[in-house]
Amino acid sequence: MAKTPVFTSEEAIAGLRQSVHAKANNFYAMYSSVFGGIVTDPAFMVLPLDDHMVHRGHAVFDTATLTHGMLYQLDPHLDRLIKSADGARIALPFAREQLRQIVLETAAASRQREGSVRYWLSAGPGGYGIGPAECVSSGFYVIVFKPEAYPDRYYRQGIKVITSQVPIKPPLFARIKSTNYLPNVLVVLEAKDRGADNGVFIDQRGMVAESAIMNVAFVTKDRVFRHPPFDAILSGITIQRVLDFAQRLVEHGVLNAVRLADIPVEEGRAAAEMMLIGSSIKVAPVVEWDGQKIGDGKPGPITKKLLEMWNEDTTSAMDQLVAVPYPD
Amino acid sequence: MAKTPVFTSEEAIAGLRQSVHAKANNFYAMYSSVFGGIVTDPAFMVLPLDDHMVHRGHAVFDTATLTHGMLYQLDPHLDRLIKSADGARIALPFAREQLRQIVLETAAASRQREGSVRYWLSAGPGGYGIGPAECVSSGFYVIVFKPEAYPDRYYRQGIKVITSQVPIKPPLFARIKSTNYLPNVLVVLEAKDRGADNGVFIDQRGMVAESAIMNVAFVTKDRVFRHPPFDAILSGITIQRVLDFAQRLVEHGVLNAVRLADIPVEEGRAAAEMMLIGSSIKVAPVVEWDGQKIGDGKPGPITKKLLEMWNEDTTSAMDQLVAVPYPD
């Protein structure tokens, strides 16, 4: 075997510049509290290995969608980020208003009008111990990137899911949006292995919990919109908004009711419609669960309607959209 | 608020060089598969934000102690790393032999004779999705650092622990040494809040599980060395070695038996000795648990003896020590 080269700092910089990662054309801008600024060169979208986010998963995150040059639901996403940080005992490195400004300025520096903006609060760099006492200060990182689009067939034909065998996180951890996502990763891999698109976590009591990075909702045959309560799963920002849409559909007589309560697996399987809901997937119909059809096995009308409402909301709900301060 | 600066690549490099992190004097050498070499300048001990280790916790790790210029128990630690990678579905970027060589060469480049060598296998960089399909290749990172020493009083006076209220990981995840350590971090913080040094996870059945980053063992009043089975906790490399030492003490009539079986909390509280065992803490006596004395409230003789055996082993057990190929 060849001897591993020992690099000078200049060679390390050259190595970063030449790495495959540096050639990514879908990473547009990164803010790092480590150097206190924004970079647009992917080669330097890096963070210290000693950051406790990297080696201990002591970090929380959130993502806002950049659409038509505006950030959709930035404030509820920031509120949840701060709530997650509290749960993970990460002190804010800056006041909320400054975090918000940095997110907006990083979005502006990206010059993109469509994409995703994700941001992390971390216990910060400082060493390789377990507790954050050694950390010099908590960290904040922001990335603007173009997410991989979900296939069109997800919406036209619908998604297939399986019941995951991966154990669900204990409620305390399911409610914190931390970077401890190994269970979520394994659910996706398990689903692909079994010829499905995604998996559904079922809790110890046999109740529907959530999907890998999405919430799971149903429409019953008597037109009730059903979702589990949020005590043992992540409270999705998108599902919260979709619950408002569903309420509007009740007011218009399209749905009979919205009901947040435990959903036994058998009730879910007997639903007229099933859907996955999240900021990346929006509202997508599930047509097959463990090889069994949901409803008639085709995307249902309420799911389609909710997706339409989401699409409209991201374009026109001015109270949900924050303008990005692009340079002239 | 001041506007966040947008840096050129040169300014980002300068920012990394000037960061607090760059001034660390206890990070000696880092290998990164991203640039395929070793750096000794802390400013460039970095990894891409898009690495799935960073933002999804899709990575596993292990640590070997560097002592007297040799790596103690490198091979069992590497075997466990590879087992963890299998559990986390991370493909090896290099064959085991090459991983081993890189660890040794990074230790050599550090020029240190005492310290810790930690290494991670990661799903790798490639994007911000959930699954590793987008990753260009799995990653390997190695750091040589000087860990913070545990206070002397841990060994002279003994440690205080509390029963943690943080929920334990499901067995599948407790057995994989992944970077999903938020529960472990929270246990340490909870212990400090309550005036103790560390916490003990108790499982749903009321059985002793493990500590934040250590195993927990006992000596009963009739001199039986007791440890829980390894089906729902991490199989510590150090405890495995200490179990061998305990067996030797049985052969010498110092202990009556070694027994691996569930330990109800009440049995633990009634023990003559309690100890924490791990590669960083070695073998340390616990003298108080939830404010109640263990045994006579002083470090016990078996714990001391096992620490002595560990210290001797790290100096003289040639079958457990691998020489670091330092440059001349």
Side-chain angles (χ1 to χ4, degrees):
Chain A
M1 273 175 284
K3 206 166 159 0
T4 311
V6 181
F7 286 158
T8 62
S9 307
E10 282 58 40
E11 287 167 332
I13 293 166
L16 283 173
R17 283 194 202 274
Q18 284 155 24
S19 65
V20 178
H21 143 90
K23 315 228 160 11
N25 59 4
N26 55 339
F27 308 155
Y28 303 114
M30 177 198 175
Y31 167 82
S32 166
S33 59
V34 170
F35 45 73
I38 298 164
V39 286
T40 55
D41 180 347
F44 301 102
M45 295 182 184
V46 295
L47 77 175
L49 178 62
D50 57 298
D51 193 301
H52 284 218
M53 166 170 162
V54 177
H55 62 87
R56 295 299 185 186
H58 196 181
V60 296
F61 73 103
D62 233 298
T63 312
T65 301
L66 176 62
T67 174
H68 310 291
M70 292 186 282
L71 282 176
Y72 179 61
Q73 295 204 294
L74 173 61
D75 289 294
H77 279 287
L78 265 182
D79 291 341
R80 182 172 63 178
L81 179 77
I82 290 168
K83 209 172 142 210
S84 292
D86 185 56
R89 302 189 59 169
I90 296 167
L92 301 188
F94 313 118
R96 183 187 190 283
E97 192 48 39
Q98 194 173 351
L99 296 174
R100 189 177 189 274
Q101 183 184 309
I102 292 170
V103 169
L104 285 165
E105 288 177 342
T106 311
S110 79
R111 295 172 183 262
Q112 301 297 308
R113 298 184 64 84
E114 307 293 326
S116 280
V117 183
R118 188 167 294 161
Y119 26 90
W120 294 263
L121 283 167
S122 157
Y128 295 95
I130 175 83
E134 67 186 8
C135 299
V136 291
S137 121
S138 44
F140 189 53
Y141 304 104
V142 184
I143 185 83
V144 183
F145 68 102
K146 183 180 178 180
E148 212 190 331
Y150 287 103
D152 235 30
R153 71 165 174 85
Y154 272 33
Y155 303 92
R156 281 188 292 107
Q157 286 150 261
I159 292 171
K160 294 179 186 179
V161 298
I162 49 129
T163 299
S164 177
Q165 302 305 311
V166 176
I168 191 170
K169 294 175 191 177
L172 173 70
F173 294 107
R175 290 195 309 257
I176 298 174
K177 199 169 171 72
S178 81
T179 54
N180 289 220
Y181 260 44
L182 184 56
N184 313 59
V185 171
L186 293 184
V187 166
V188 172
L189 293 175
E190 180 192 17
K192 306 281 174 196
D193 284 350
R194 292 165 60 190
D197 301 303
N198 217 320
V200 176
F201 285 109
I202 303 299
D203 74 15
Q204 290 85 340
R205 302 165 308 144
M207 302 294 170
V208 173
E210 58 192 345
S211 182
I213 48 168
M214 296 121 185
N215 286 107
V216 181
F218 299 88
V219 179
T220 65
K221 284 183 175 131
D222 49 355
R223 292 190 295 141
V224 176
F225 189 85
R226 295 280 285 114
H227 194 276
F230 294 99
D231 49 353
I233 59 174
L234 190 71
S235 179
I237 302 298
T238 306
I239 179 65
Q240 295 297 349
R241 189 71 183 156
V242 168
L243 286 168
D244 292 345
F245 300 161
Q247 198 53 54
R248 269 189 239 160
L249 293 182
V250 172
E251 284 153 26
H252 289 85
V254 178
L255 283 171
N256 282 323
V258 172
R259 191 163 167 251
L260 284 192
D262 283 336
I263 303 173
V265 169
E266 317 77 67
E267 185 191 329
R269 292 199 196 280
E273 298 184 37
M274 178 175 182
M275 63 197 89
L276 297 185
I277 296 168
S279 65
S280 61
I281 204 164
K282 306 172 192 177
V283 183
V286 175
V287 295
E288 198 183 296
W289 181 4
D290 290 336
Q292 291 171 29
K293 276 184 192 173
I294 297 292
D296 62 1
K298 290 183 190 137
I302 304 290
T303 306
K304 280 186 196 164
K305 182 67 192 162
L306 291 170
L307 176 60
E308 256 175 58
M309 292 172 87
W310 192 92
N311 280 330
E312 201 190 311
D313 205 56
T314 60
T315 335
S316 59
M318 291 318 295
D319 61 330
Q320 303 293 322
L321 292 161
V322 180
V324 171
Y326 294 103
D328 295 327
Chain B
M1 273 173 283
K3 206 166 162 353
T4 311
V6 180
F7 287 158
T8 61
S9 306
E10 281 60 38
E11 288 166 333
I13 294 166
L16 283 173
R17 284 194 202 274
Q18 284 155 24
S19 65
V20 178
H21 142 91
K23 316 233 160 4
N25 60 4
N26 55 339
F27 308 155
Y28 303 114
M30 177 198 175
Y31 167 83
S32 165
S33 58
V34 169
F35 45 72
I38 297 164
V39 286
T40 55
D41 180 347
F44 301 103
M45 295 181 184
V46 295
L47 77 174
L49 179 61
D50 57 296
D51 193 302
H52 283 219
M53 166 168 161
V54 177
H55 63 87
R56 295 300 185 185
H58 196 180
V60 296
F61 71 103
D62 232 299
T63 311
T65 300
L66 176 62
T67 176
H68 310 291
M70 293 188 279
L71 283 174
Y72 179 60
Q73 295 204 296
L74 173 61
D75 289 293
H77 279 288
L78 264 183
D79 290 341
R80 184 173 63 177
L81 178 78
I82 290 167
K83 209 172 144 208
S84 293
D86 185 55
R89 301 187 59 168
I90 296 167
L92 301 188
F94 313 117
R96 185 188 188 286
E97 193 47 43
Q98 194 173 351
L99 296 173
R100 189 177 189 276
Q101 182 184 311
I102 292 169
V103 169
L104 285 165
E105 288 177 342
T106 311
S110 79
R111 296 171 183 263
Q112 301 297 308
R113 299 183 64 82
E114 306 293 325
S116 279
V117 183
R118 188 169 293 160
Y119 26 89
W120 294 264
L121 283 167
S122 158
Y128 295 95
I130 175 84
E134 67 186 8
C135 298
V136 291
S137 121
S138 43
F140 189 54
Y141 304 105
V142 184
I143 186 83
V144 183
F145 68 104
K146 183 181 177 180
E148 213 189 332
Y150 287 103
D152 235 29
R153 70 163 174 87
Y154 272 32
Y155 303 92
R156 279 187 295 108
Q157 286 151 260
I159 292 172
K160 293 178 186 181
V161 299
I162 49 130
T163 298
S164 177
Q165 301 306 310
V166 176
I168 190 171
K169 295 175 191 175
L172 174 70
F173 294 107
R175 289 196 307 258
I176 298 173
K177 199 169 172 73
S178 83
T179 55
N180 288 220
Y181 260 44
L182 184 55
N184 313 59
V185 171
L186 293 184
V187 166
V188 172
L189 292 176
E190 180 192 18
K192 306 281 175 195
D193 285 350
R194 293 166 61 190
D197 301 303
N198 217 321
V200 175
F201 286 109
I202 303 298
D203 74 15
Q204 291 84 339
R205 303 165 307 145
M207 301 294 170
V208 174
E210 59 192 344
S211 182
I213 49 167
M214 296 121 184
N215 287 106
V216 181
F218 300 87
V219 179
T220 65
K221 287 187 173 126
D222 50 354
R223 292 191 294 141
V224 176
F225 188 86
R226 293 281 284 114
H227 193 276
F230 294 99
D231 49 354
I233 59 174
L234 190 71
S235 179
I237 301 298
T238 306
I239 179 64
Q240 296 297 347
R241 189 72 182 154
V242 168
L243 285 169
D244 291 346
F245 300 160
Q247 197 53 53
R248 269 191 240 159
L249 294 182
V250 172
E251 285 152 26
H252 289 83
V254 178
L255 283 171
N256 281 323
V258 172
R259 189 162 169 251
L260 284 193
D262 284 336
I263 303 173
V265 169
E266 317 78 67
E267 184 190 330
R269 292 200 196 280
E273 299 184 36
M274 178 176 181
M275 62 197 90
L276 297 184
I277 296 167
S279 65
S280 61
I281 203 163
K282 305 170 192 177
V283 184
V286 175
V287 294
E288 198 184 297
W289 181 4
D290 290 337
Q292 293 171 30
K293 276 184 192 175
I294 297 291
D296 62 1
K298 290 183 190 138
I302 303 291
T303 306
K304 281 186 196 164
K305 181 69 192 160
L306 291 170
L307 175 60
E308 256 175 59
M309 292 172 88
W310 191 92
N311 281 329
E312 200 190 312
D313 206 56
T314 59
T315 334
S316 59
M318 291 318 294
D319 61 331
Q320 304 292 322
L321 292 161
V322 180
V324 171
Y326 294 102
D328 296 325

